[in-house]
Amino acid sequence: MRRHYADINVTPLIDVLLVLLIIFMAALPLTQKGLDATLPEPQPPSTPAPAAPSLVLEYRADGRMAINQQPVALGELAARLRELYRDRRDKTLFVMGDGSLPYGRIVEAIDIAKGAGVERVGVITESMRRAAR
């Protein structure tokens, strides 16, 4: 007499599940849908406004000053800088002082420039001048 066992054979079930998984994985790329859209073309880059040349305040050893090679007296420095920086967006001034000048005179010129509307001050050193030559 044979005994019957109530065990379920899961091997055919796993085979069917693997076949279904492969079918769905193969069919998935075919079911993707998209939407055709016409995007606006980007604007052509506009030419930027030409940058204004940098302003350099040169303070010579004999006390003479010049803004971009244009002589200016200490008394009229504030008015001249106010006029130059009125319509400029970049309010940077470069100061090039002679090495023999007392530091206080350079600071006085920078203070006048700050009062005239200059926001940033750059100092051009002697080594920077030698490198530019």
Side-chain angles (χ1 to χ4, degrees), residues 34-117:
L35 176 66
D36 291 331
T38 305
L39 297 175
E41 292 294 320
Q43 293 287 335
S46 62
T47 56
S54 299
L55 293 179
V56 178
L57 173 67
E58 185 178 358
Y59 207 155
R60 296 187 184 98
D62 59 4
R64 291 182 298 145
M65 283 193 231
I67 299 174
N68 287 1
Q69 308 296 327
Q70 300 295 320
V72 62
L74 182 64
E76 59 189 43
L77 179 64
R80 174 88 173 152
L81 288 174
R82 236 180 261 112
E83 173 189 329
L84 288 170
Y85 283 99
R86 183 180 320 124
D87 299 326
R88 289 176 69 100
R89 289 176 40 143
D90 181 24
K91 297 188 185 289
T92 303
L93 175 70
F94 293 99
V95 176
M96 183 168 56
D98 191 273
S100 64
L101 274 173
Y103 187 68
R105 291 176 70 183
I106 299 289
V107 170
E108 178 185 12
I110 292 173
D111 189 42
I112 290 171
K114 287 283 197 174

